[in-house]
Amino acid sequence: MRFQDRAEAGRALADRLAQIEWHDPVVLALPRGGVPVAVPVGMRLGAPVEVFVARKVGLPGHEELGIGAVAEGLDEMVTGEIAGRLGLDPRLLGELAARERSELRRRVAAYRGGRPLPRLTGRDVIVIDDGLATGVTTEAAAQAVRAAEPRRLVLAVPVCANDSRLRLGGVADWVVCLFAPDDLGSVGRWYDDFQQVTDEEVVDLLAVARASRRLSELSTTRSSGGEGPR
């Protein structure tokens, strides 16, 4: 299975998730790549879509290799198995985490512009990314979201490493993955178009999702005989 781009992957994921009965769902996208996947899901489920920011902490000199991750609302860095195997100095890990927290705060401000997160307590929360490799960033996000006491916490991705899916099954209530190849390699291998998503695209996609939800709510109000918002 391959995907043309993240939007196509989002539509395929939406097809799968639409088969499930949800209770007051909210969709949280991990930026940047998770946003174009999450928007079709939110629109299909009639659920609000918002970003939840988590940042991979990369190994110096090999930043693409995630040794840990930080997430908004989470005080401690989540460290991956690689960090333990390498025996990295805790002071170095602290410095790396502090640098990523600074970028995390910038992204929260840039993407949400002061908007608070939707209420998560008692709701079905679906955390979405464009793929799951080591899974350490998604794990940090899941731990942070779990603290808000959702009714059900679901991680949903188009493609994933099977070992990461099994491990994260201990953090989330359910992990939905459309395709788990034995030789995942990089997530980008499974997309024809895996260009980096920009900050501007994230903001625009979230605005589209909010506008779509407002139209849906207005249509529902009118069809039920209400006057709609004034």
Side-chain angles (χ1 to χ4, degrees):
M1 179 182 290
R2 289 182 62 84
F3 304 101
Q4 178 180 346
D5 54 20
R6 293 180 179 89
E8 182 189 65
R11 292 190 292 270
L13 193 59
D15 287 343
R16 173 71 64 84
L17 295 173
Q19 300 173 23
I20 301 168
E21 184 175 346
W22 300 99
H23 172 77
D24 196 14
V26 58
V27 174
L28 297 181
L30 300 187
R32 301 183 183 116
V35 177
V37 180
V39 168
V41 173
M43 294 173 69
R44 180 74 177 274
L45 300 182
V49 179
E50 190 54 271
V51 291
F52 191 87
V53 185
R55 288 285 297 168
K56 176 175 66 178
V57 177
L59 181 68
H62 302 276
E63 279 72 19
E64 72 284 354
L65 183 61
I67 58 175
V70 295
E72 55 178 307
L74 199 63
D75 293 332
E76 300 294 328
M77 179 178 80
V78 174
T79 55
E81 297 177 0
I82 296 174
R85 291 203 303 267
L86 294 177
L88 297 176
D89 188 330
R91 289 176 297 180
L92 173 62
L93 291 174
E95 293 171 1
L96 295 172
R99 185 175 63 190
E100 294 303 334
R101 283 197 180 95
S102 177
E103 174 62 12
L104 185 150
R105 289 190 292 271
R106 184 199 72 80
R107 291 194 177 200
V108 169
Y111 301 155
R112 292 215 296 269
R115 293 190 309 274
L117 280 171
R119 175 183 55 84
L120 304 181
T121 303
R123 305 179 74 173
D124 285 347
V125 178
I126 310 168
V127 177
I128 292 180
D129 204 355
D130 55 14
L132 189 64
T134 65
V136 67
T137 306
T138 307
E139 182 176 357
Q143 287 191 21
V145 171
R146 177 66 79 187
E149 299 183 348
R151 175 180 178 270
R152 181 168 54 174
L153 173 57
V154 177
L155 306 179
V157 293
V159 60
C160 67
N162 198 47
D163 57 346
S164 295
R165 176 177 62 173
L166 294 174
R167 189 183 80 255
L168 289 175
V171 180
D173 296 306
W174 191 14
V175 179
V176 177
C177 176
L178 300 182
F179 181 47
D182 293 331
D183 57 341
L184 176 76
S186 66
V187 170
R189 284 182 57 199
W190 305 97
Y191 288 83
D192 294 331
D193 178 359
F194 200 65
Q195 294 185 36
Q196 185 175 18
V197 180
T198 67
D199 285 350
E200 292 76 14
E201 288 172 325
V202 168
V203 172
D204 289 347
L205 284 166
L206 292 173
V208 167
R210 291 196 301 275
S212 174
R213 180 164 171 78
R214 284 195 295 270
L215 287 173
S216 177
E217 290 174 341
L218 180 61
S219 176
T220 300
T221 300
R222 288 176 173 172
S223 65
S224 63
E227 296 182 1
R230 296 182 179 182

